[in-house]
Amino acid sequence: MKKDQSSNRHHNGPVVILDIDYTVFTSPTFRRNFYTQLTEKLGYAKESEFLSLARKAEQQTKEEEGYFNPTVFLKHLKQISHTDVPATELEQILFDESLYIESVYEEARSLFQKLVIEQDIPVNIFSTGEKKFHKQKMDAFKEMLQEDQTHIEIVGMKRLRDVLQNYDGYHVYLVDDLPTILKEAKGLRSDITTIWVNKDKKTEKDFVKNFQSDYIIENLVEIATIVSEKMWGDNIE
Ligand SMILES: [Mg+2]
């Protein structure tokens, strides 16, 4: 409050906006746990037996939907496996919130702790997809965060432009595993800080010409340091 706020474009302070898939939510873990539970439910002794059926069901799902819709996947899986297990019991596995919560990166929770609890910095989780699957994940997040009693807003399935517009006047830190998204965001608002999370050093998985993110990190917790350093820097100015 010491500064003349009218001359300060970032008068509302920092906000950290995080992408969901492969940034805070690990899809491979989700799929592994989901498949392990289905293997047991359908009574296969070996997961390899289950997996060959699951691949077929995945294929059919993609042909029908264009993406992995777990509800449609279960429908195909039930047909292919000729199981007597009722569809509702298979869906129970899918709608179990712990499946989603276990698929959140540990480091994401640590980051929320550092930013929201310790520093009172708002955090947002967004997904640009419009898929039902995303909605389920978002709902699970809401549950999880309510348990933690943290004030984290779930932006949900919005367009990047709308997400950024919500935070006019904030210093936005945008975190994503895809440089294409970061580049698009920077094009929409040049004053944001872009952070590319590259956990397994999968360099150029999503190659973007003529773009470099402001930061490249391997662990989400690094974001807390980046934001703090910037804040201290602003105070010295
Ligand atoms: Mg992502």
Side-chain angles (χ1 to χ4, degrees):
M1 292 292 174
K2 281 165 276 173
K3 280 184 169 181
D4 172 12
Q5 297 207 343
S6 62
S7 65
N8 187 349
R9 178 149 167 69
H10 297 134
H11 53 88
N12 285 328
V15 60
V16 177
I17 303 178
L18 297 137
D19 156 58
I20 189 161
D21 280 319
Y22 295 96
T23 299
V24 294
F25 185 87
T26 155
S27 303
T29 303
F30 174 85
R31 195 169 293 204
R32 194 174 60 236
N33 293 343
F34 184 37
Y35 283 6
T36 301
Q37 289 191 44
L38 285 173
T39 304
E40 277 173 33
K41 193 73 181 174
L42 296 176
Y44 289 94
K46 285 184 194 162
E47 192 150 342
S48 57
E49 285 176 48
F50 168 80
L51 279 178
S52 66
L53 296 178
R55 296 243 160 77
K56 278 183 207 153
E58 275 178 23
Q59 190 62 36
Q60 291 179 353
T61 306
K62 280 198 178 134
E63 278 164 21
E64 194 177 315
E65 294 283 303
Y67 68 100
F68 184 77
N69 177 329
T71 312
V72 175
F73 167 80
L74 287 180
K75 184 190 81 184
H76 289 301
L77 184 69
K78 186 164 161 56
Q79 281 166 3
I80 295 169
S81 65
H82 306 289
T83 180
D84 295 332
V85 178
T88 47
E89 279 187 38
L90 298 178
E91 279 172 4
Q92 254 169 31
I93 294 174
L94 182 61
F95 294 121
D96 178 6
E97 250 151 27
S98 62
L99 189 65
Y100 298 85
I101 291 168
E102 282 161 15
S103 308
V104 173
Y105 287 109
E106 281 289 321
E107 61 194 67
R109 281 204 165 198
S110 310
L111 176 70
F112 299 156
Q113 175 76 25
K114 279 185 184 289
L115 291 178
V116 184
I117 313 270
E118 292 173 21
Q119 296 187 76
D120 215 17
I121 292 170
V123 165
N124 270 272
I125 300 167
F126 85 102
S127 166
T128 48
E130 279 182 287
K131 316 282 158 76
K132 272 188 223 153
F133 185 29
H134 279 141
K135 184 171 180 326
Q136 279 165 242
K137 275 186 270 184
M138 291 299 185
D139 289 346
F141 255 98
K142 275 183 198 158
E143 276 301 310
M144 181 188 102
L145 299 170
Q146 269 164 16
E147 269 171 37
D148 287 0
Q149 297 199 307
T150 54
H151 300 286
I152 300 179
E153 199 186 325
I154 312 289
V155 175
M157 294 136 287
K158 284 194 175 179
R159 284 171 15 175
L160 194 55
R161 183 188 296 273
D162 300 329
V163 173
L164 294 176
Q165 239 160 30
N166 278 349
Y167 294 100
D168 196 27
Y170 281 83
H171 187 152
V172 172
Y173 294 82
L174 187 74
V175 189
D176 208 299
D177 65 302
L178 296 176
T180 38
I181 302 286
L182 297 174
K183 187 184 179 183
E184 190 191 337
K186 198 84 167 179
L188 291 165
R189 253 184 80 174
S190 60
D191 64 320
I192 66 167
T193 299
T194 53
I195 303 175
W196 179 28
V197 50
N198 187 9
K199 286 197 179 75
D200 32 359
K201 295 188 182 168
K202 45 182 190 282
T203 34
E204 313 306 349
K205 169 190 121 188
D206 174 44
F207 180 73
V208 178
K209 238 183 181 175
N210 304 323
F211 175 73
Q212 265 199 316
S213 58
D214 298 308
Y215 293 89
I216 300 173
I217 59 166
E218 283 172 45
N219 189 308
L220 291 176
V221 177
E222 292 171 64
I223 296 164
T225 313
I226 292 169
V227 176
S228 305
E229 279 173 0
K230 281 260 186 191
M231 281 168 78
W232 280 103
D234 282 352
N235 286 344
I236 292 160
E237 270 172 5

